[in-house]
Amino acid sequence: TKVAILISGTGTNLQALIDHTRCGLSRGEIVLVLSNKEGVEGITRAEKAGIYTKVIPHQKFESRESFECAVTRELRSAGTDLICLAGFMRVLTGGFVSEWSGRLVNVHPSLLPMFKGIGAQRQALQAGVTLSGCTVHFVAEEVDGGAIITQESVPVLPDDTEDSLTQRIKTAEHKAYPRALEMLARGEVVLGEDGRCINSTII
Ligand SMILES: Nc1nc2ccc(CNc3ccc(C(=O)NCCCC(=O)O)cc3)cc2c(=O)[nH]1
Ligand SMILES: N[C@@H]1O[C@H](COP(=O)(O)O)[C@@H](O)[C@H]1O
């Protein structure tokens, strides 16, 4: 399975996926790392790993659609089978989402459907929950509303700050995302017609 990773920043999830796909047993091969922002650490990580990188600055485009058209051109020329959003911070239009439906996933730093959108870690702290974590989900037009593929929980400690909780959740993401990639690459989970996730490992 040819995998493209879309980023906007640090890329620790990208690094986890690079390390995982290089361990020998993975069905996934990262063929492209694409960022909408110049000079981010994630691009350096990909270059060090010898992976083809592309920066497409969204602000240089007239519209969301024209930006996404340029992204899709790169994805197709790389032969992409699966797109993983990893800290990619641009909302995607319904056109892009439906074109890549079932082959487009994202990792979110909360146990969805709780704490959707920006600042999920802060929302969790403000809500006073004692359990949080991360969710890998199919991308639907509704932001953070897509079918859940896999989740990983972490405790929220009384003295947690946004940073300490973010770090703990990231270690969970670095386990959950590679697991999700293998499930997808092996066809163990697929997106159903009704937008629900079909998990064939239980059949
Ligand atoms: N349609 C669709 N697209 C997405 C794009 C990125 C992410 C990643 N998580 C994200 C969740 C929220 C945002 C967001 O609201 N950013 C501020 C507005 C930035 C902008 O103007 O674009 C970005 C990424 C998830 C989704 C998703 O679930 N559905
Ligand atoms: N979508 C969210 O953005 C962050 C990206 O972090 P990194 O992978 O760039 O370190 C992760 O916490 C992820 O949940």
Side-chain angles (χ1 to χ4, degrees):
T1 299
K2 294 187 184 299
V3 182
I5 319 254
L6 272 51
I7 62 168
S8 299
T10 323
T12 66
N13 276 281
L14 165 65
Q15 191 63 58
L17 291 168
I18 289 172
D19 299 343
H20 170 76
T21 51
R22 303 229 149 149
C23 74
L25 301 175
S26 175
R27 297 288 181 81
E29 175 201 3
I30 301 173
V31 295
L32 167 66
V33 172
L34 190 150
S35 175
N36 67 309
K37 284 187 71 178
E38 322 246 10
V40 294
E41 191 183 347
I43 290 292
T44 310
R45 293 176 189 273
E47 287 168 342
K48 282 186 183 151
I51 298 168
Y52 177 70
T53 64
K54 182 77 179 174
V55 177
I56 302 183
H58 64 272
Q59 64 272 17
K60 289 189 177 157
F61 293 81
E62 295 287 298
S63 68
R64 233 173 250 275
E65 287 76 7
S66 58
F67 162 70
E68 290 170 0
C69 187
V71 170
T72 290
R73 194 178 309 118
E74 281 302 322
L75 292 166
R76 296 217 180 286
S77 66
T80 304
D81 300 311
L82 175 65
I83 305 168
C84 294
L85 305 182
F88 183 73
M89 293 317 284
R90 294 295 295 174
V91 173
L92 296 160
T93 65
F96 185 94
V97 170
S98 48
E99 182 173 1
W100 294 97
S101 180
R103 299 176 296 157
L104 174 60
V105 299
N106 176 54
V107 62
H108 180 77
S110 77
L111 296 175
L112 291 173
M114 283 191 292
F115 313 137
K116 293 178 180 176
I118 298 281
Q121 300 91 334
R122 187 178 337 107
Q123 293 180 56
L125 290 172
Q126 282 166 354
V129 295
T130 60
L131 199 62
S132 190
C134 67
T135 304
V136 181
H137 62 93
F138 284 105
V139 171
E141 187 163 357
E142 183 209 343
V143 173
D144 302 331
I148 292 168
I149 295 167
T150 189
Q151 297 186 299
E152 186 85 12
S153 68
V154 300
V156 180
L157 304 176
D159 61 344
D160 260 334
T161 61
E162 207 175 319
D163 274 0
S164 61
L165 180 57
T166 297
Q167 287 321 312
R168 193 173 310 116
I169 290 173
K170 279 196 176 186
T171 57
E173 292 172 348
H174 302 163
K175 277 177 62 183
Y177 225 158
R179 182 169 73 231
L181 190 152
E182 291 311 312
M183 291 165 77
L184 289 154
R186 291 157 194 249
E188 291 171 5
V189 290
V190 293
L191 184 62
E193 282 306 304
D194 56 0
R196 292 161 59 93
C197 179
I198 301 167
N199 187 321
S200 59
T201 57
I202 54 172
I203 292 171

